[in-house]
Amino acid sequence: MKVTNAEIVISAVSKKQYPNDQLPEIALAGRSNVGKSSFINKLINRKNLARTSSKPGKTQTLNFYRINDAFYFVDVPGYGYAKVSKTEREKWGVMMEEYFQTRETLKAVLLITDIRHEPTRDDIQMYEFLKHFDLPVVVVATKLDKIPKGKRAQHIKQTINTLQMDKGDLVLPFSAETGEGKDEAWGILKKYL
């Protein structure tokens, strides 16, 4: 997909702030610093529309990015970062639950994981949470460029097995560095838009 227009519309903390133009939404969920912002930036060919940070826990709101006036990427707060207070984490949890449970324009969730490592307990919990609400899930396994080509299949299999993924769910190996997986990502996303 050729992206000609991409902008952040709002950083929302509650339902009343969500955009109400009824465009389809693709949410991105994942651990802090797993590469959600880098994924968005690579897909839309921008260096820093979605802010990347070396400090985990930076995204503390639901960030709505309108793409080509046709749909939104919604970046949700990263999970699993210990240095954020328990109260703050609980607030994020409530905010994310409200979004995932009530948003009618949400078409799919990209669960971003790091292909180099086995999915964490938090990743498993998020996958199960999304499945519980019957949300379509695509697992995007980032940092593909860090894995030798000969070991990729084994890492993908580890992701599928650890998450106990449903048969129809996809794992998309992806590298924000090289762009590998970008065309496949757009191919998958188009099915939901």
Side-chain angles (χ1 to χ4, degrees):
M1 178 184 285
K2 186 168 170 39
V3 175
T4 54
N5 184 13
E7 61 183 331
I8 183 158
V9 172
I10 191 164
S11 295
V13 292
S14 72
K15 207 173 173 172
K16 59 181 178 287
Q17 296 177 309
Y18 301 165
N20 59 5
D21 50 15
Q22 299 305 304
L23 292 177
E25 295 168 6
I26 304 286
L28 291 91
R31 282 191 334 275
S32 291
N33 262 23
V34 77
K36 297 190 308 282
S37 298
S38 298
F39 176 81
I40 292 172
N41 289 332
K42 182 50 94 176
L43 245 55
I44 64 172
N45 289 326
R46 298 286 168 83
K47 282 271 189 283
N48 56 4
L49 175 69
R51 296 270 178 237
T52 58
S53 170
S54 55
K55 276 197 189 132
K58 272 298 203 206
T59 302
Q60 301 184 4
T61 53
L62 298 167
N63 294 326
F64 287 80
Y65 299 95
R66 190 168 45 219
I67 311 299
N68 285 353
D69 293 321
F71 74 96
Y72 288 96
F73 276 133
V74 183
D75 189 3
V76 305
Y79 51 78
Y81 184 58
K83 286 195 178 150
V84 174
S85 75
K86 192 174 179 217
T87 323
E88 197 62 33
R89 280 200 308 267
E90 282 168 4
K91 271 200 311 212
W92 294 355
V94 169
M95 180 174 61
M96 285 163 62
E97 259 182 62
E98 177 183 60
Y99 176 72
F100 286 129
Q101 286 178 34
T102 64
R103 193 63 170 159
E104 287 172 15
T105 48
L106 176 60
K107 300 303 178 194
V109 180
L110 305 180
L111 177 57
I112 314 289
T113 64
D114 184 334
I115 196 167
R116 299 172 299 178
H117 310 291
E118 194 174 327
T120 64
R121 257 199 335 262
D122 288 330
D123 292 329
I124 295 166
Q125 197 175 0
M126 180 55 86
Y127 180 78
E128 289 171 352
F129 173 82
L130 297 170
K131 295 310 287 184
H132 175 77
F133 290 106
D134 291 325
L135 292 165
V137 180
V138 176
V139 176
V140 177
T142 61
K143 307 188 195 290
L144 181 63
D145 51 288
K146 309 275 193 260
I147 300 285
K149 281 195 169 53
K151 294 194 173 172
R152 290 177 176 182
Q154 157 193 341
H155 282 265
I156 292 166
K157 192 172 181 208
Q158 173 180 269
T159 298
I160 292 167
N161 292 341
T162 303
L163 293 175
Q164 297 180 2
M165 288 176 66
D166 289 356
K167 281 262 185 283
D169 288 346
L170 297 171
V171 174
L172 171 69
F174 185 84
S175 167
E177 282 296 307
T178 66
E180 197 173 343
K182 181 178 169 178
D183 292 342
E184 293 83 346
W186 279 122
I188 292 165
L189 291 174
K190 279 178 184 165
K191 295 175 191 164
Y192 297 107
L193 299 172

